[in-house]
Amino acid sequence: MWTNFFKLRLFCCLLAVLMVVVLVINVTQVEYLDHETVSATFIDSSGQFISSQVTGISRNPYCGYDQQTLSSQERMEEDSLLAALHRQVPDVGPVPFVKSTDPSSSYFVILNSAAFFQVGSQLEVLVHVQDFQRKPKKYGGDYLQARIHSPKLQAGAVGRVVDYQNGFYKVFFTLLWPGKVKVSIFLVHPSEGIRVLQRLQEDKPDRVYFKSLFRSGRISETTECNVCLPGNLPLCNFTDLYTGEPWFCFKPKKLPCSSRITHFKGGYLKGLLTAAESAFFQSGVNIKMPINSSGPDWVTVIPRRIKETNTLELSQGSGTFPSGYYYKDQWRPRKFKMRQFNDPDNITECLQRKVVHLFGDSTIRQWFEYLTTFVPDLVEFNLGSPKNVGPFLAVDQKHNILLKYRCHGPPIRFTTVFSSELHYVANELNGIVGGKNTVVAIAVWSHFSTFPLEVYIRRLRNIRRAVVRLLDRSPKTVVVIRTANAQELGPEVSLFNSDWYNFQLDTILRRMFSGVGVYLVDAWEMTLAHYLPHKLHPDEVIVKNQLDMFLSFVCPLET
């Protein structure tokens, strides 16, 4: 009996040990799989999980950016951003011009056509692209822009384009105002042109080059500069000590690196395309050309039946796309009520006792120019800065308003910037105390369009760190980010500042500052939705709407 009992105890002990061993092995495998999943899966633009092996995410080796020292979280974020922008343009080999996308042969059809739509309804449009032989294309990758508009109402909004990778595209619109609403679809670049732009982004990031003037006494020299430089010639290392942003110039033959005086745009490389590639970039043929409808290109929208007394307010849905729309030439965000600052006194009252910092490129310099022109008490103080470069300063002594503008650090394509004025936005933010009377607005995008995306991600990462620190020490500081915008395009401009490049930058900007606690002025939608031609520096009516939105963040309506 005792022998049997002893054997039973021994068996139970062995079984318990075996169970512990199996449990440890399983836990180890689960931890290993979790680790592999975290490091190898990302979220694409639709929120779906995709594998890095499927997307083929690779880093551009330009300037050693693929060897950056990043934390695991930064690495995952960068992978996620690159995955979201991974454009599936099939490698179909060389494509002759006649087989490329022809906007005049392509067409669109309104799918869910009805006698009447209500405000808030969804409108679906199918686009079918064809080549110059009027044959249907079997692959996607074209870059389209879409909007709905009512010219008599000066109303407009953008649509969301989905590429089915088979020559068909679907565009989704939200109908946000009553009346006759027209659909417009544009081919910005054919997929064959997008492949060329991708090649330039990867292989020719230095197609805009920069220079610096070095001077000591009567001796002066000019050398080329960039984020990195080819060859083995001696270099001057102007990498920023605080942000680590790289910048180099070829060392002058007779002068020290410390004798640098100015920075300026050297120019644009020529001869970037073959004759066959040039055919994909023709004004009036395949750059920002309209695609016509094969049937009606408009629908009738009626007001909602509930509380029709304020139709437009009811049309503001809970979604975030589109972020807003124009009505009677006034931008109407869908998530909050925007004020109209039609009188200079309204702006003065809003900015009284405030310091306003504007950092970035020339698109936010427009804000400085608008405010100093429109508000008579805001007088510009002459700092002797080069025209259109800055820094600039304006003061309203009576109402205690200080308005500043400073351009961002290199790369920047301005004519001449004193090297002593090449300040990085992150460093400037670190020097701001902040508080309820401090306002910061930032626009950094246009001068990064020729570089690999990793260069822009690094710059925004540094700016974001500084913004987070600023809001941490002074939570009542108002920080506003101005997004990128569409612009006019020709054969040459497309190779350097294409909307396709800037769409990528805009997507990165929005994702990286999501949840940070900053406000966003959606300049991208505000230019695409408007009836005026696209410009790098939008016309005054668009800038006015941008300023109204900016000031509405600074001085919101009391609720």
Side-chain angles (χ1 to χ4, degrees):
M1 175 180 176
W2 291 108
T3 303
N4 292 337
F5 180 71
F6 176 77
K7 289 181 179 178
L8 182 61
R9 289 185 60 185
L10 181 62
F11 174 77
C12 291
C13 290
L14 291 172
L15 183 62
V17 170
L18 181 61
M19 290 177 65
V20 170
V21 171
V22 171
L23 180 62
V24 169
I25 292 174
N26 285 339
V27 169
T28 303
Q29 287 182 331
V30 169
E31 290 178 347
Y32 174 77
L33 288 172
D34 285 345
H35 171 74
E36 288 297 304
T37 302
V38 168
S39 63
T41 59
F42 319 101
I43 301 175
D44 70 0
S45 56
S46 64
Q48 299 296 316
F49 284 93
I50 52 178
S51 167
S52 61
Q53 293 179 345
V54 174
T55 59
I57 296 170
S58 61
R59 298 178 183 280
N60 196 306
Y62 176 70
C63 297
Y65 270 78
D66 57 335
Q67 303 298 323
Q68 285 185 92
T69 302
L70 302 175
S71 68
S72 59
Q73 187 174 0
E74 290 171 341
R75 179 75 62 178
M76 285 182 60
E77 178 188 47
E78 190 166 292
D79 285 343
S80 176
L81 291 168
L82 296 175
L85 291 168
H86 180 77
R87 195 167 182 86
Q88 297 179 0
V89 180
D91 186 6
V92 294
V95 177
F97 171 72
V98 293
K99 291 188 177 296
S100 66
T101 305
D102 176 17
S104 64
S105 298
S106 306
Y107 61 90
F108 71 84
V109 178
I110 296 176
L111 289 181
N112 55 338
S113 63
F116 296 101
F117 290 85
Q118 286 191 14
V119 169
S121 300
Q122 293 293 311
L123 182 67
E124 296 182 11
V125 173
L126 185 68
V127 183
H128 190 196
V129 296
Q130 300 187 137
D131 62 24
F132 284 88
Q133 296 175 325
R134 295 189 175 276
K135 294 180 179 179
K137 293 190 68 177
K138 302 299 183 182
Y139 55 91
D142 303 292
Y143 178 40
L144 309 179
Q145 290 175 350
R147 73 183 182 107
I148 49 174
H149 53 109
S150 298
K152 291 184 178 180
L153 299 174
Q154 294 179 305
V158 301
R160 181 169 61 89
V161 180
V162 176
D163 183 354
Y164 288 99
Q165 295 295 318
N166 59 1
F168 287 92
Y169 301 79
K170 189 175 283 189
V171 186
F172 298 88
F173 297 100
T174 301
L175 300 169
L176 295 166
W177 63 88
K180 182 178 179 180
V181 178
K182 184 178 180 180
V183 175
S184 291
I185 312 289
F186 287 84
L187 173 75
V188 182
H189 295 299
S191 58
E192 295 76 17
I194 295 297
R195 290 176 60 194
V196 175
L197 295 179
Q198 284 181 320
R199 177 183 66 78
L200 293 177
Q201 189 176 47
E202 295 167 2
D203 300 339
K204 291 289 185 180
D206 57 349
R207 58 193 181 279
V208 177
Y209 57 95
F210 306 88
K211 291 187 176 183
S212 273
L213 173 66
F214 296 79
R215 179 185 295 151
S216 179
R218 295 183 178 180
I219 303 175
S220 63
E221 295 183 60
T222 299
T223 70
E224 188 174 337
C225 308
N226 217 315
V227 175
C228 66
L229 294 166
N232 298 314
L233 294 175
L235 300 176
C236 291
N237 186 351
F238 296 113
T239 298
D240 184 67
L241 296 177
Y242 299 98
T243 62
E245 292 286 355
W247 193 255
F248 298 89
C249 296
F250 285 122
K251 189 179 185 303
K253 294 179 181 179
K254 299 179 181 180
L255 297 175
C257 294
S258 58
S259 63
R260 183 173 65 147
I261 302 296
T262 61
H263 161 95
F264 57 96
K265 178 186 68 178
Y268 300 90
L269 292 180
K270 305 294 184 180
L272 294 169
L273 305 183
T274 65
E277 290 175 332
S278 297
F280 302 135
F281 298 92
Q282 299 183 61
S283 295
V285 177
N286 50 16
I287 298 178
K288 277 200 178 179
M289 291 298 294
I291 294 176
N292 295 319
S293 171
S294 67
D297 62 355
W298 58 273
V299 296
T300 300
V301 182
I302 61 175
R304 284 188 176 181
R305 297 173 183 175
I306 306 173
K307 297 181 181 179
E308 295 184 6
T309 55
N310 200 346
T311 305
L312 292 176
E313 290 303 314
L314 284 170
S315 71
Q316 295 180 7
S318 59
T320 57
F321 187 88
S323 67
Y325 61 100
Y326 282 106
Y327 191 82
K328 295 183 178 178
D329 242 0
Q330 293 180 354
W331 183 251
R332 302 197 174 203
R334 298 178 69 199
K335 298 185 76 174
F336 76 103
K337 182 72 173 179
M338 191 175 87
R339 296 178 59 185
Q340 299 296 319
F341 292 82
N342 298 324
D343 191 286
D345 291 340
N346 300 143
I347 297 179
T348 299
E349 181 184 359
C350 175
L351 297 181
Q352 191 167 1
R353 295 184 298 276
K354 287 182 171 57
V355 178
V356 181
H357 302 268
L358 305 178
F359 297 116
D361 54 39
S362 57
T363 60
I364 206 166
R365 188 188 68 218
Q366 278 191 289
W367 291 13
F368 182 93
E369 294 164 350
Y370 178 91
L371 290 171
T372 53
T373 301
F374 187 68
V375 183
D377 291 337
L378 202 52
V379 180
E380 185 173 351
F381 187 84
N382 186 4
L383 298 175
S385 302
K387 184 181 180 181
N388 297 333
V389 175
F392 300 128
L393 178 70
V395 180
D396 180 348
Q397 291 184 325
K398 180 180 178 181
H399 301 97
N400 198 16
I401 301 172
L402 184 60
L403 176 66
K404 300 179 177 182
Y405 164 78
R406 178 178 288 280
C407 68
H408 63 72
I412 191 158
R413 303 174 198 159
F414 286 177
T415 51
T416 300
V417 185
F418 293 118
S419 56
S420 59
E421 298 293 353
L422 289 173
H423 296 194
Y424 289 91
V425 173
N427 293 339
E428 292 295 305
L429 294 174
N430 289 334
I432 295 175
V433 175
K436 64 179 182 179
N437 290 322
T438 301
V439 181
V440 174
I442 303 168
V444 177
W445 59 277
S446 180
H447 300 258
F448 289 81
S449 57
T450 56
F451 292 94
L453 299 176
E454 291 87 341
V455 177
Y456 188 59
I457 292 172
R458 177 174 189 159
R459 182 61 56 90
L460 291 191
R461 191 184 294 124
N462 280 319
I463 294 174
R464 185 178 62 185
R465 285 196 198 104
V467 167
V468 170
R469 285 192 291 263
L470 173 60
L471 294 177
D472 187 48
R473 63 178 175 267
S474 303
K476 293 186 178 180
T477 306
V478 175
V479 180
V480 179
I481 307 292
R482 181 204 186 277
T483 73
N485 60 260
Q487 68 173 86
E488 69 277 18
L489 295 178
E492 186 174 18
V493 175
S494 296
L495 308 183
F496 302 95
N497 257 43
S498 168
D499 283 357
W500 182 74
Y501 289 137
N502 293 327
F503 172 74
Q504 293 179 310
L505 302 183
D506 186 69
T507 302
I508 290 172
L509 176 76
R510 293 168 189 268
R511 285 172 175 254
M512 290 190 69
F513 280 93
S514 176
V516 173
V518 301
Y519 298 98
L520 203 70
V521 172
D522 198 337
W524 186 263
E525 287 195 21
M526 294 170 89
T527 50
L528 285 181
H530 204 270
Y531 56 82
L532 286 173
H534 300 163
K535 294 181 180 180
L536 175 61
H537 302 111
D539 286 335
E540 185 175 302
V541 62
I542 299 176
V543 176
K544 196 265 184 190
N545 276 288
Q546 293 174 2
L547 263 298
D548 284 346
M549 192 168 185
F550 165 67
L551 294 169
S552 296
F553 294 137
V554 179
C555 306
L557 285 169
E558 295 183 4
T559 57

